[in-house]
Amino acid sequence: MNSDADDDALSWDGDDALEARRPERPRRAEHARKEQPRTERPGEAAPAGAAPAASAPAASAPAASAPTTEPDADDEPRGIGTVSLVLLGILGGIYLLYTVGWIIGGLGMQSRALFMLPAPLYLAGLWVAVLAPALWFASVLLLTRHSSEWVRLTGLVVGALLLVPWPFVVAGGGGAL
């Protein structure tokens, strides 16, 4: 059996091209010193299997000129922290409860409010109040994508303080003010 056929079974076409495009990793100073070719002294013989000293600098020249494009730790996107993720979940639940509170409180107050406002105007205000928590949550997440975590959490806490469903809180869902 031919050994070339065995090697072909373990490789794909184009492997050599991928290997040529792969950048080399930068070496540490101590590793680079250990791997530098040893120059022969006039009285010493070269180790078995070593290349002649004249060809060693030529072999290392392409490696030195190869660009190193290893991404820095600062360039990689950071994931969200565990504490921030838990706080986002808690605040998201609060905003969901606020939406339910505005629905219950607004519908419970509808018969008394229609005495002072026309029905289309009241229903438009009710829809805005019901959608406000979801819109605030989504807009804070969207607008603070590239900001730090404390800015995002501050925006969500401010919204949680501003969007309290007062008809539900004051009247307990009955809407009697």
Side-chain angles (χ1 to χ4, degrees):
M1 182 165 236
N2 189 1
S3 65
D4 290 335
D6 290 339
D7 290 339
D8 289 342
L10 300 174
S11 64
W12 295 91
D13 282 338
D15 280 348
D16 297 334
L18 290 175
E19 193 65 35
R21 285 190 282 162
R22 184 174 295 155
E24 285 191 27
R25 292 183 177 229
R27 299 178 183 167
R28 290 185 179 173
E30 64 265 3
H31 292 293
R33 263 187 257 126
K34 290 178 184 176
E35 295 176 5
Q36 288 179 351
R38 191 175 139 186
T39 58
E40 292 182 27
R41 295 185 185 156
E44 291 182 5
S55 66
S60 65
S65 65
T68 57
T69 58
E70 186 174 320
D72 295 333
D74 297 336
D75 293 342
E76 295 178 11
R78 296 178 317 185
I80 189 167
T82 305
V83 174
S84 296
L85 188 62
V86 168
L87 289 175
L88 279 176
I90 290 170
L91 288 168
I94 289 172
Y95 280 102
L96 182 64
L97 289 174
Y98 280 7
T99 300
V100 172
W102 276 110
I103 291 171
I104 294 170
L107 290 177
M109 209 171 94
Q110 184 174 9
S111 63
R112 292 175 186 84
L114 288 178
F115 178 69
M116 295 180 275
L117 292 173
L121 197 64
Y122 180 77
L123 289 177
L126 178 63
W127 276 106
V128 168
V130 166
L131 292 176
L135 291 174
W136 186 285
F137 188 79
S139 64
V140 166
L141 290 182
L142 182 70
L143 294 174
T144 60
R145 279 186 309 217
H146 303 294
S147 301
S148 59
E149 294 176 9
W150 70 270
V151 174
R152 175 178 292 156
L153 292 175
T154 302
L156 290 174
V157 168
V158 167
L161 295 175
L162 289 175
L163 297 172
V164 174
W166 288 113
F168 181 79
V169 171
V170 171
L177 292 175

